Amino acid sequence: MNPSSLALPHVAQLHAYTPGLQPTEAGWVKLNTNECPYPPSPRVAEALRREIGEDGASLRLYPNPKSGPLRAAVAKLHGLREENVVIGNGSDDILNLLVRAFVGCRAGSPDPAASSDATTAGSGDPALHQAAGFTLPSYSLYPVLVAIQDGRTDVIEFDRAMRLPLEKIAGSEARAFFLTSPNAPTGVGFANADLERAAASFRGLLVVDEAYAPFARENAVPLLARFPNLVVVRTLSKAYALAGIRVGYALAHPGIIDVLDRVRDSYNVSRLSQAAALAALGDQPYYDGVIAKVCATRDRCVRDLLDRRGWRTYDSQANFIFTEPKDARGATGLDVAKAAYSFLYSRKVLVRHFPSHALTAPFLRISVGTDAEMAALSDSLDAWQKAPVQNA
Amino acid sequence: MNPSSLALPHVAQLHAYTPGLQPTEAGWVKLNTNECPYPPSPRVAEALRREIGEDGASLRLYPNPKSGPLRAAVAKLHGLREENVVIGNGSDDILNLLVRAFVGCRAGSPDPAASSDATTAGSGDPALHQAAGFTLPSYSLYPVLVAIQDGRTDVIEFDRAMRLPLEKIAGSEARAFFLTSPNAPTGVGFANADLERAAASFRGLLVVDEAYAPFARENAVPLLARFPNLVVVRTLSKAYALAGIRVGYALAHPGIIDVLDRVRDSYNVSRLSQAAALAALGDQPYYDGVIAKVCATRDRCVRDLLDRRGWRTYDSQANFIFTEPKDARGATGLDVAKAAYSFLYSRKVLVRHFPSHALTAPFLRISVGTDAEMAALSDSLDAWQKAPVQNA
């Protein structure tokens, strides 16, 4: 007997999310998972040492189940109230809670024809499906989270211009729409004027996943007061240089926060993660400096890719760059991107390639590292462009 | 518009799990959430300081997505292989993954009459419902996790003797049965001979939640090799004195582990939690000493409650005691237990009362603290028994 046959049929068929490679050996120029190239605020290490004390005695006790002081700090940072905030074990935890609370399983979804049956269609707008909407490309975790719940998806494709498909979002009958802004993996930022139109026209919950917003010119937080159907999701993994501690949060109407708190695990954030996050949020001047450095490096690299190499490169408002490599013959496409990826890999420069969609396959996503790391990347790209083209 | 109306109907009606109180001010004798009264191994604080380093630079990087070294250490500890182990953000994370992977939503469950329809009943035994079974009383998180998924439950009640209802478990058509062993909140341990009969006769997945097994005379790990439908769940929150770091794990057939890995968040366990857990597991002699002390204090307190006070008290194989307070007039029951709880609370001694079930309402659950804490508890119980009975 293989006991996995006891699993739900849709679970047995799941394809898990594929995280970027996390090499354990040293020597890599790691530009593949959008981590911050600089260490976190020195206050983080101090706060952790304080929490650990001499013998780690406080660790025998459960953490604050509401992450209370951290909620208060997040609320203060954004000019909101504690009841507008919920803390997650990374923003992935928050996205997971949103899917579980708002997107039904397939079997539970009403037939579109029978969608007026309020007993199965949910207590909200009966015309809304129990589906999750998102754009393609965007953060590839969304479809995985929906598949785990056996939910339905409503996918809206970008075209190459990557402009927000406002009419299609307005017409979506999804119960929750997940919008990555700035988008991943393109780095394209959306104007608040557009996000506002999306929030006003879409009848379901609009989740703006702002993992990269600290690197952008605008963010959706000021819109929260006017749109009760808006949720803003943030993480400390990118701009706060704390991917290792797993802290993210959602900002929303208290009614949404209350729902997420009911689905959330009581002790989802460890004592050490709460202490580290609290210390980081208390040192905004340090992070202003980090963000300024990352953005300066990013903008310089984008110019180099555009002007010197002539590679199609999106205007990035994130801490990564999405660029279309051209080989020595001036060719682009899936195979060229693959070849560039492999060449970089062979020189221990790790970037990310998303081969499964036509809009992403010819591109590479390159996290913004230190100036030294970006110089190493540039040298490797020079060498690749000079190398003879290998025909498959 | 209250946007919570967009939530799924069953989510809008959820009652969240109620964790025990976690007072933030000092001065409490905290015997309410079964934390370890002793600090973790000194190696934990050392390992954390090493991971943090001078400036916390490693925290900018994502954790090992499989908790690889920790998996290997857990496997070695139990004489198993890495593919038999999955690590969770606390054992609650593991329980949640099990419910999501094996228990369907209500709408997705087939009618019992139509249960031979394999397309909706899952790929396993078509006679099994997509329901979660558990005993009452047991860990009160199970029904909450099932309710979040809008799943069905198959509840088997104990009688006051708290013997394992083997025939009823064998006859259960639940797809997964959750058995807390030693049981919570009674502390009653189940013999491996009985667990073996349960695993052999039950057709679904038998999840033995061994949060308290390090304090027991037997545990189900040796049965894993013979029963592919058996899952053993452990936590570092109790015996390892690490409730604050949120690490638990499951031991099972590789087919089950593979399923849980697909549903699990890629980065569910932080770098610091992985480092702390790894250090703790490496210091078994320290924890043997902690466990011996806790068991000695427990057994002495149980004898005192039974022999000196004459209170009905279950034989505990856990790090807590379930006892039925008798007031000055020799009365027992819900009101007496409530009065004892309140009296203790007024003296800043915190214990746990579960008033909602007839089998638990007359009892209090008291975590085993240090000898000094148990002496403070005993003094307060003496004072309560001498105090005039207050009629409601």
Side-chain angles (χ1 to χ4, degrees):
Chain A
M1 174 212 188
N2 184 338
S4 64
S5 65
L6 290 166
L8 299 171
H10 76 274
V11 170
Q13 289 155 24
L14 277 181
H15 295 283
Y17 174 73
T18 311
L21 291 177
Q22 303 292 352
T24 48
E25 72 280 24
W28 286 89
V29 177
K30 189 171 183 304
L31 305 174
N32 70 328
T33 50
N34 302 342
E35 289 138 334
C36 182
Y38 304 106
S41 158
R43 292 198 198 168
V44 169
E46 284 163 30
L48 285 169
R49 279 190 281 263
R50 216 162 30 240
E51 177 69 34
I52 295 162
E54 196 167 323
D55 59 356
S58 82
L59 303 180
R60 72 181 183 84
L61 298 171
Y62 280 96
N64 184 310
K66 292 195 74 180
S67 299
L70 185 52
R71 256 184 226 232
V74 169
K76 195 175 162 211
L77 178 67
H78 294 293
L80 298 167
R81 299 168 63 169
E82 273 184 64
E83 56 261 42
N84 297 116
V85 182
V86 60
I87 311 290
N89 182 40
S91 61
D92 291 351
D93 183 21
I94 299 287
L95 297 170
N96 193 5
L97 296 177
L98 285 163
V99 168
R100 296 179 71 190
F102 292 90
V103 179
C105 64
R106 196 178 304 267
S109 304
D111 234 10
S115 64
S116 60
D117 178 355
T119 60
T120 56
S123 46
D125 187 336
L128 294 176
H129 298 163
Q130 290 178 359
F134 50 86
T135 62
L136 208 64
S138 70
Y139 185 25
S140 56
L141 181 66
Y142 309 143
V144 175
L145 294 176
V146 177
I148 292 171
Q149 290 298 95
D150 201 18
R152 295 195 300 175
T153 58
D154 182 8
V155 179
I156 295 177
E157 302 234 353
F158 279 104
D159 59 25
R160 274 192 77 143
M162 299 290 167
R163 264 188 293 274
L164 206 57
L166 282 172
E167 284 75 35
K168 288 183 185 163
I169 293 172
S172 170
E173 292 181 341
R175 185 163 291 255
F177 199 96
F178 292 80
L179 197 60
T180 320
S181 176
N183 194 33
T186 63
V188 172
F190 304 116
N192 270 12
D194 282 348
L195 294 178
E196 197 172 327
R197 274 146 69 190
S201 61
F202 177 59
R203 286 166 299 165
L205 199 70
L206 183 68
V207 179
V208 181
D209 181 351
E210 292 199 337
Y212 303 104
F215 307 101
R217 292 188 284 272
E218 282 191 292
N219 68 69
V221 175
L223 306 182
L224 281 167
R226 283 162 48 218
F227 298 102
N229 65 329
L230 181 64
V231 180
V232 173
V233 179
R234 292 285 183 101
T235 178
L236 273 73
S237 296
K238 313 296 182 183
Y240 286 95
L242 286 172
I245 68 153
R246 319 305 305 122
V247 174
Y249 56 87
L251 308 172
H253 184 283
I256 302 289
I257 299 299
D258 175 58
V259 165
L260 297 179
D261 264 329
R262 294 188 208 191
V263 180
R264 181 179 64 82
D265 182 66
S266 308
Y267 298 114
N268 61 333
V269 184
S270 86
R271 295 183 80 91
L272 296 170
S273 297
Q274 290 186 37
L278 197 55
L281 294 181
D283 196 0
Q284 294 302 320
Y286 174 84
Y287 287 107
D288 289 345
V290 165
I291 291 164
K293 274 197 285 186
V294 168
C295 290
T297 303
R298 172 194 71 194
D299 294 344
R300 206 170 33 70
C301 291
V302 167
R303 286 257 63 85
D304 182 70
L305 290 163
L306 282 170
D307 298 345
R308 188 167 68 87
R309 297 190 202 276
W311 292 6
R312 185 184 170 91
T313 304
Y314 288 100
D315 173 33
S316 173
Q317 293 198 38
N319 67 340
F320 55 84
I321 296 166
F322 204 53
T323 189
E324 188 180 40
K326 255 187 211 167
D327 69 14
R329 294 184 301 204
T332 59
L334 168 66
D335 290 339
V336 174
K338 259 191 187 164
Y341 176 91
S342 300
F343 187 90
L344 292 173
Y345 188 92
S346 74
R347 293 173 64 120
K348 298 199 96 175
V349 177
L350 202 51
V351 301
R352 194 98 193 251
H353 183 218
F354 299 93
S356 64
H357 192 276
L359 286 170
T360 61
F363 287 76
L364 294 179
R365 193 195 68 185
I366 302 169
S367 307
V368 176
T370 60
D371 285 335
E373 287 173 320
M374 299 317 269
L377 167 84
S378 190
D379 289 349
S380 290
L381 289 179
D382 288 347
W384 174 68
Q385 285 189 285
K386 282 176 201 142
V389 174
Q390 308 218 337
N391 290 305
Chain B
M1 173 211 187
N2 183 340
S4 65
S5 66
L6 290 166
L8 299 172
H10 75 274
V11 170
Q13 290 156 24
L14 276 180
H15 295 281
Y17 174 73
T18 312
L21 292 177
Q22 303 292 352
T24 48
E25 71 278 26
W28 285 89
V29 177
K30 189 171 184 303
L31 305 174
N32 70 327
T33 51
N34 302 341
E35 289 138 334
C36 182
Y38 304 105
S41 158
R43 292 197 197 170
V44 169
E46 284 164 28
L48 286 169
R49 280 191 280 264
R50 216 162 30 239
E51 177 69 33
I52 294 162
E54 196 166 323
D55 59 357
S58 83
L59 303 181
R60 72 181 183 84
L61 299 171
Y62 280 96
N64 184 311
K66 293 195 72 176
S67 299
L70 185 51
R71 253 183 229 233
V74 169
K76 195 176 161 209
L77 177 68
H78 294 293
L80 298 166
R81 299 168 63 167
E82 273 184 62
E83 57 260 41
N84 298 115
V85 181
V86 61
I87 312 290
N89 182 39
S91 61
D92 291 352
D93 183 20
I94 298 287
L95 297 170
N96 193 6
L97 296 177
L98 286 163
V99 167
R100 296 179 71 189
F102 292 91
V103 179
C105 65
R106 196 178 304 266
S109 305
D111 234 11
S115 64
S116 61
D117 178 355
T119 60
T120 56
S123 47
D125 186 335
L128 294 176
H129 297 165
Q130 289 177 1
F134 50 85
T135 62
L136 208 65
S138 69
Y139 185 25
S140 56
L141 180 66
Y142 308 143
V144 174
L145 294 176
V146 177
I148 291 170
Q149 289 298 94
D150 200 19
R152 295 195 301 176
T153 58
D154 181 8
V155 179
I156 296 177
E157 302 234 353
F158 280 105
D159 59 25
R160 275 191 77 142
M162 300 289 167
R163 263 188 294 274
L164 206 57
L166 282 172
E167 284 76 33
K168 287 183 185 163
I169 293 173
S172 169
E173 290 180 344
R175 187 164 290 255
F177 199 97
F178 293 80
L179 197 60
T180 321
S181 177
N183 194 34
T186 63
V188 172
F190 304 117
N192 270 12
D194 282 348
L195 294 178
E196 196 172 327
R197 273 146 70 190
S201 61
F202 178 60
R203 286 165 301 165
L205 199 70
L206 183 67
V207 180
V208 181
D209 181 352
E210 291 199 336
Y212 302 104
F215 306 101
R217 291 188 284 273
E218 282 191 291
N219 68 70
V221 175
L223 306 182
L224 281 166
R226 284 162 48 217
F227 297 102
N229 64 329
L230 181 64
V231 180
V232 173
V233 180
R234 291 284 182 102
T235 178
L236 273 72
S237 296
K238 314 296 182 182
Y240 286 94
L242 286 171
I245 67 154
R246 319 305 304 124
V247 173
Y249 56 87
L251 308 172
H253 183 283
I256 301 290
I257 299 300
D258 175 58
V259 165
L260 298 178
D261 264 329
R262 293 189 209 190
V263 180
R264 181 178 63 80
D265 182 65
S266 307
Y267 298 115
N268 61 333
V269 184
S270 87
R271 292 183 81 92
L272 296 170
S273 297
Q274 290 188 35
L278 197 55
L281 294 181
D283 196 0
Q284 293 302 321
Y286 174 84
Y287 287 107
D288 290 345
V290 165
I291 291 164
K293 274 198 285 187
V294 168
C295 290
T297 303
R298 172 194 73 195
D299 293 344
R300 205 170 33 69
C301 291
V302 168
R303 285 258 64 84
D304 182 69
L305 290 163
L306 281 171
D307 297 346
R308 188 166 67 87
R309 297 191 203 275
W311 292 6
R312 186 183 169 90
T313 305
Y314 287 101
D315 173 33
S316 172
Q317 292 198 39
N319 67 339
F320 54 83
I321 296 166
F322 205 54
T323 191
E324 188 180 39
K326 254 187 211 169
D327 69 14
R329 294 183 302 202
T332 60
L334 168 65
D335 290 339
V336 173
K338 261 192 184 162
Y341 176 90
S342 299
F343 186 90
L344 292 173
Y345 188 92
S346 73
R347 294 174 64 121
K348 298 199 94 173
V349 176
L350 202 51
V351 300
R352 194 98 194 250
H353 183 216
F354 299 93
S356 64
H357 191 276
L359 286 170
T360 61
F363 287 77
L364 294 179
R365 193 195 69 185
I366 302 169
S367 305
V368 175
T370 60
D371 285 334
E373 287 174 319
M374 298 317 269
L377 167 84
S378 190
D379 288 349
S380 289
L381 289 178
D382 289 346
W384 174 68
Q385 284 190 286
K386 281 178 201 138
V389 174
Q390 309 217 336
N391 290 305

